[in-house]
């Protein structure tokens, strides 16, 4: 099944829209196919401001109205306590809010931007999506992440080379309670690093402070600029270390 065929068979749907590469291309493809696909951005303490800005920017380009749903994820004990299954509870709560809001507006089909490169293992978040019968058109059409980027570049979407981004909660070690002030520090620190031109990096909280994981192609630069990096991050962190192995995983 191609994306065009998917939207011909399913001309009306609600899209879980993050502003990332995959969901951005999916929204564009739906728009090109003439489908009535409404994007919903679920805003919680786990999404940085730039994600919502990117989502709004793309919707303005396409002339599509963006629905923003506010959700207090830290008000849920199963999420705030940060257990190994946190992502499952988070996705269930997020998509539950989306399903409720979309249903009230007449949308019964929920779709997301999972692509054919995403693992089908027993990942907690993926399990929640399956349980809620959320469909993934990119995956059903066999479109990989690399292909999404290629097609996005052809469509001149600014998201074509946007680095993959995992929510801010992934910066907190599993088992450590998630606090709003810690998420704010992480977002502020990552924004400062992005302003210096770094891409595809992570600032992870540790009991002693902040661990910075840079893409290996930028690791040497980061090590050469440690004084400037420490100066920018020192208001929030007293102990800042650069991981010599570079970034690995989400």
């Amino acid at each position: 099944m191609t994306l065009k065929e998917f939207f011909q068979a399913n001309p009306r749907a609600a899209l879980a829209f993050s502003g990332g590469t995959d969901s951005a291309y999916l929204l564009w493809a739906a728009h090109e196919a003439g489908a009535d696909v409404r994007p919903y951005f679920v805003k919680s303490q786990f999404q940085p401001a730039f994600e919502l800005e990117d989502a709004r920017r793309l919707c303005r380009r396409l002339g599509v109205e963006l629905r923003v749903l506010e959700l207090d994820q830290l008000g849920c004990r199963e999420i705030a306590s940060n257990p190994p299954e946190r992502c499952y509870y988070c996705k269930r709560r997020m998509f539950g809010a989306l399903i409720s809001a979309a249903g009230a507006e007449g949308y019964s089909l929920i779709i997301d931007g999972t692509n054919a490169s995403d693992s089908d293992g027993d990942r907690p978040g993926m399990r929640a999506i399956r349980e809620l019968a959320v469909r993934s058109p990119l995956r059903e059409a066999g479109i990989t992440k690399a292909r999404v980027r290629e097609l996005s570049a052809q469509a001149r979407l600014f998201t074509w080379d946007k680095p993959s981004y995992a929510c801010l909660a992934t910066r907190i070690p599993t088992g450590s309670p998630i606090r709003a002030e810690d998420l704010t520090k992480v977002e502020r620190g990552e924004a400062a690093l992005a302003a210096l031109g770094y891409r595809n990096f992570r600032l992870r909280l540790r009991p002693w402070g902040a661990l910075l994981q840079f893409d290996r192609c930028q690791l040497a630069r980061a090590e050469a600029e440690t004084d400037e990096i420490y100066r920018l991050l020192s208001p929030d962190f007293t102990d800042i270390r650069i991981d010599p192995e570079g970034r690995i995983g989400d």
Side-chain angles (χ1 to χ4, degrees):
M1 174 183 288
T2 66
L3 278 185
K4 184 176 181 180
E5 290 170 340
F6 178 91
F7 289 119
Q8 286 175 340
N10 303 278
R12 184 174 170 82
L15 168 64
F17 188 55
S18 68
T21 303
D22 298 321
S23 60
Y25 177 71
L26 187 57
L27 181 61
W28 177 86
H31 186 264
E32 288 294 297
D36 176 10
V37 172
R38 177 163 293 174
Y40 290 79
F41 186 101
V42 181
K43 180 71 176 77
S44 75
Q45 299 94 331
F46 297 167
Q47 283 74 44
F50 79 83
E51 289 280 65
L52 180 54
E53 292 169 4
D54 284 352
R56 284 177 167 151
R57 178 182 170 190
L58 185 72
C59 286
R60 283 195 300 269
R61 175 190 159 175
L62 298 179
V64 175
E65 181 180 1
L66 177 66
R67 293 283 198 272
V68 179
L69 307 178
E70 298 284 345
L71 187 63
D72 177 17
Q73 292 289 48
L74 293 184
C76 175
R77 180 182 59 80
E78 290 86 355
I79 296 173
S81 62
N82 200 19
E85 294 283 288
R86 182 208 72 243
C87 191
Y88 172 79
Y89 296 116
C90 186
K91 290 286 189 182
R92 287 280 310 194
R93 189 171 166 85
M94 182 183 79
F95 276 93
L98 195 161
I99 289 168
S100 178
E105 296 186 328
Y107 294 89
S108 58
L109 175 62
I110 309 299
I111 62 176
D112 82 332
T114 301
N115 64 63
S117 299
D118 291 322
S119 169
D120 196 26
D122 190 29
R123 293 165 55 191
M126 295 290 284
R127 177 156 52 89
I129 290 172
R130 289 196 301 268
E131 290 176 359
L132 294 171
V134 175
R135 294 186 65 179
S136 304
L138 293 172
R139 188 170 194 163
E140 293 182 29
I143 300 176
T144 63
K145 185 73 171 189
R147 183 60 174 158
V148 169
R149 292 194 184 281
E150 180 182 345
L151 293 170
S152 295
Q154 292 173 12
R156 298 186 179 181
L157 300 179
F158 70 88
T159 52
W160 77 271
D161 65 342
K162 185 176 179 178
S164 296
Y165 190 86
C167 81
L168 293 171
T170 62
R171 313 303 197 269
I172 314 297
T174 300
S176 298
I178 302 174
R179 302 184 303 169
E181 55 266 37
D182 288 335
L183 297 175
T184 298
K185 288 179 181 179
V186 170
E187 180 176 3
R188 191 157 49 220
E190 291 195 345
L193 293 172
L196 289 178
Y198 289 101
R199 291 166 56 86
N200 198 28
F201 62 87
R202 296 288 185 264
L203 187 161
R204 302 192 188 278
L205 291 192
R206 293 294 183 263
W208 40 263
L211 178 67
L212 309 183
Q213 296 179 325
F214 293 94
D215 190 287
R216 291 183 179 180
C217 70
Q218 293 190 311
L219 185 56
R221 178 195 164 194
E223 291 172 340
E225 296 180 346
T226 54
D227 289 345
E228 176 64 7
I229 290 171
Y230 291 177
R231 183 187 68 79
L232 289 173
L233 302 187
S234 61
D236 287 320
F237 305 101
T238 56
D239 192 345
I240 304 163
R241 306 176 192 176
I242 295 177
D243 188 340
E245 298 299 319
R247 185 192 159 200
I248 300 174
D250 288 337

